[in-house]
Amino acid sequence: MSDPAEDVVELLVTAHRYNEDRDLDADDLPPRYRRVFWSESPEDEAGPGGVERPLHVTESTAKTATGVERPWEAISDLLFTQRKDFSGEVSLSQPEMGTEWLLDRVDDEDLRENPVLAKIAEEADDADFSVTHAEAREENRPVRADRVWIDALLGEYFDEEEDAEMLDLVTVKAPEEIEMTLQDLVLTTDQEGEIRKLMKAIEHREYLANIGLREIGKLLFVGPPGTGKTTAARALAHELGLPFVEVKLSMVTSQYLGETAKNVEKTFEVAKRLAPCILFIDEFDSVAKTRKSDEHAALKRAVNTLLKSIDEVSLVRDEVLLISATNHPDQLDAAAWRRFDEIVNFPKPDRQMRSDILRVITRQMEIADFDPDEVADRTEGLTGSDLRLVLREAVLEALTEERMSITQEDIMDAVQDFEERDNLKNMDMIDGEGAEVVGDGAGHDHDHDHDHDHDHDHDHDHDH
């Protein structure tokens, strides 16, 4: 719906029915409403928080929930609405009339986004809709995936002082905070197939348990930096409406050596408490490779704890989908490999994929004479994150000339600049005294998968 009056009336009808019908729970409310009415300690909800009845709609909450700037002004001329001047509370003076008015204006798409409304429509005698209440609930993100619920649970389960370091090492994203979607990805046929299988496994967890197929849902993403491993995992979380628990094992092992095994255990505890969720373990090789070295004994214990934890976690039983990623598969031993039921390869993109990636990256750009195939021909060996850096350079160069659009020539010049910087980066020494190039000092970070703040620059398959 885009009409302000309809948006506000939908909120009022939803709140009225939710207050009256105790068979409805927080999962029946659209996430945009739950956020507004969230309570840290509701009397009638289990868990760390929820939505407490009765819902009171004020002009302030209506504005936040609907985005309508002046909610009362939008509905004040309707015969079935009322407002209390003192409290600013807005409600239905004649609920049946308001509900009938709304049902005459909504469609299946509106019902799909609001299970309460879908239930009202399902029960209406003369309504002609195809979406059921059960279908709407299935498509509506559950309250356990909301940011407010995640924060409340973490606050309840972990001691702020004792576990502060651990929570710094583990990043938890709600699906609403993940911008990329599966529709934004440029994937290989094999990658698409594995993601489809995963989605089916999650959907039919009960069936898999009944037939005894419990060892499923542990994937290892393998490929060079910048090829989309992290992005694909995050997009899957967004698509499935699941919290995304991300941990970088190199940080766990290097920052708090004495607590490494404990931190690994706590990582899995976080995931199980937030389940159903996706647990993404990046830089998997940073711990697994220590099995064949003479590293510190604490690291040895951490490796054993990690492998034991992987063995014990289950998609079917614990509702935790485990995805690990590595840029260095050669550093993993057989004990690490056999923990995963699927290995998904993320190779550098071929010519056609590079062309497709360029089309995705540039969807919102104005480019004169754009020919992605020509750019793809010139960029063999580049990853998706490299291509993003090329486009970024072209855009910034144009801005220095006060241009808000770019040309094909700008892009090709940026490709050449990128190649020159890449060649410089790969040199151990530049001719001349003291001119050593250290790491990525050439100012180009295209292969830094370990940089949290630049994740959007690493992965080749999203459109931001």
Side-chain angles (χ1 to χ4, degrees):
M1 284 182 289
S2 57
D3 181 80
E6 292 175 21
D7 291 342
V8 178
V9 171
E10 182 190 4
L11 173 62
L12 296 180
V13 168
T14 301
H16 175 79
R17 179 57 184 265
Y18 187 80
N19 290 338
E20 297 287 317
D21 188 348
R22 291 285 170 158
D23 289 335
L24 296 171
D25 59 35
D27 285 347
D28 289 296
L29 292 170
R32 63 186 184 276
Y33 295 172
R34 292 197 299 250
R35 199 162 45 239
V36 174
F37 296 112
W38 181 263
S39 171
E40 290 293 341
S41 54
E43 295 177 1
D44 61 346
E45 296 284 343
V51 179
E52 187 173 10
R53 290 180 173 88
L55 306 184
H56 295 286
V57 179
T58 65
E59 287 195 80
S60 175
T61 56
K63 178 180 175 181
T64 305
T66 66
V68 175
E69 192 64 30
R70 297 179 179 83
W72 174 241
E73 190 176 302
I75 61 169
S76 58
D77 60 341
L78 298 175
L79 297 175
F80 50 81
T81 62
Q82 60 186 4
R83 176 182 178 275
K84 294 179 181 177
D85 290 335
F86 179 73
S87 65
E89 185 173 347
V90 182
S91 61
L92 299 172
S93 58
Q94 301 181 60
E96 288 186 13
M97 184 184 293
T99 300
E100 189 176 329
W101 182 92
L102 183 63
L103 290 181
D104 285 339
R105 289 162 174 78
V106 297
D107 56 23
D108 281 346
E109 193 57 38
D110 299 318
L111 289 137
R112 216 170 259 117
E113 295 177 359
N114 186 340
V116 174
L117 196 56
K119 187 173 185 182
I120 293 171
E122 194 173 54
E123 296 172 354
D125 294 333
D126 55 351
D128 185 25
F129 299 103
S130 61
V131 178
T132 68
H133 173 237
E135 290 169 345
R137 265 184 71 100
E138 184 68 27
E139 294 196 29
N140 208 49
R141 188 178 73 233
V143 68
R144 291 175 67 90
D146 287 353
R147 180 78 255 174
V148 285
W149 193 93
I150 291 170
D151 288 342
L153 182 123
L154 292 175
E156 180 186 76
Y157 187 61
F158 292 100
D159 180 83
E160 193 169 332
E161 292 185 12
E162 181 184 339
D163 297 301
E165 293 174 345
M166 178 60 205
L167 291 174
D168 284 343
L169 300 179
V170 176
T171 302
V172 182
K173 290 182 180 291
E176 65 198 88
E177 299 170 314
I178 300 172
E179 296 180 347
M180 66 285 291
T181 69
L182 288 181
Q183 285 68 44
D184 298 324
L185 304 185
V186 178
L187 299 173
T188 67
T189 303
D190 288 344
Q191 290 163 1
E192 288 178 353
E194 289 304 327
I195 285 176
R196 277 197 301 271
K197 283 193 283 187
L198 267 182
M199 293 174 73
K200 285 297 179 185
I202 291 169
E203 182 183 350
H204 299 290
R205 293 189 298 271
E206 192 173 327
Y207 163 74
L208 294 172
N210 289 339
I211 64 173
L213 190 58
R214 297 177 183 276
E215 293 308 310
I216 196 166
K218 298 173 186 176
L219 283 79
L220 180 63
F221 287 180
V222 175
T227 50
K229 300 182 294 295
T230 302
T231 302
R234 287 179 180 170
L236 187 59
H238 177 101
E239 184 76 15
L240 296 171
L242 299 177
F244 186 76
V245 182
E246 180 175 359
V247 59
K248 302 229 173 194
L249 285 183
S250 62
M251 293 183 69
V252 174
T253 56
S254 64
Q255 280 189 255
Y256 310 105
L257 191 61
E259 300 292 317
T260 296
K262 177 185 172 185
N263 286 340
V264 169
E265 285 180 339
K266 288 230 168 195
T267 297
F268 282 81
E269 285 179 32
V270 170
K272 288 178 181 179
R273 289 284 292 180
L274 292 172
C277 72
I278 292 178
L279 172 58
F280 181 71
I281 302 178
D282 203 1
E283 302 172 341
F284 186 72
D285 47 272
S286 68
V287 168
K289 66 184 178 184
T290 63
R291 285 173 62 85
K292 52 188 177 184
S293 72
D294 295 323
E295 293 280 354
H296 194 286
L299 280 182
K300 295 281 191 182
R301 287 195 299 273
V303 173
N304 291 332
T305 300
L306 175 65
L307 297 180
K308 182 171 179 284
S309 298
I310 290 175
D311 286 340
E312 292 176 350
V313 76
S314 166
L315 173 62
V316 174
R317 183 185 61 252
D318 302 309
E319 298 189 301
V320 174
L321 171 60
L322 175 71
I323 301 177
S324 294
T326 177
N327 303 328
H328 305 288
D330 55 302
Q331 295 180 354
L332 303 183
D333 65 7
W337 281 101
R338 66 170 174 265
R339 259 68 188 191
F340 301 97
D341 52 85
E342 292 289 351
I343 311 296
V344 184
N345 186 29
F346 282 78
K348 287 188 175 183
D350 60 20
R351 178 188 177 279
Q352 184 57 54
M353 283 188 73
R354 290 196 300 277
S355 183
D356 291 341
I357 291 164
L358 288 162
R359 288 184 176 90
V360 170
I361 292 173
T362 59
R363 275 194 304 216
Q364 298 178 26
M365 296 183 188
E366 185 181 333
I367 307 175
D369 304 318
F370 183 44
D371 183 357
D373 291 333
E374 182 187 12
V375 182
D377 285 336
R378 178 76 180 275
T379 52
E380 184 176 355
L382 268 61
T383 66
S385 61
D386 296 335
L387 294 173
R388 172 164 295 284
L389 287 172
V390 167
L391 265 297
R392 186 170 71 182
E393 176 65 21
V395 170
L396 293 177
E397 188 64 34
L399 285 176
T400 64
E401 301 174 8
E402 303 298 329
R403 289 187 287 121
M404 304 292 283
S405 63
I406 61 175
T407 66
Q408 179 76 2
E409 185 179 357
D410 290 329
I411 297 174
M412 298 308 288
D413 287 346
V415 170
Q416 183 173 342
D417 289 344
F418 181 90
E419 290 170 342
E420 291 172 358
R421 286 198 303 274
D422 209 40
N423 290 334
L424 183 64
K425 169 183 169 292
N426 290 324
M427 294 172 62
D428 290 328
M429 183 77 72
I430 302 174
D431 289 340
E433 271 190 49
E436 185 175 353
V437 178
V438 181
D440 282 354
H444 141 36
D445 63 354
H446 78 278
D447 59 355
H448 280 198
D449 255 4
H450 60 266
D451 187 346
H452 252 309
D453 294 332
H454 293 84
D455 273 345
H456 60 283
D457 289 333
H458 305 153
D459 297 310
H460 73 271
D461 43 19
H462 64 79
D463 68 343
H464 300 292

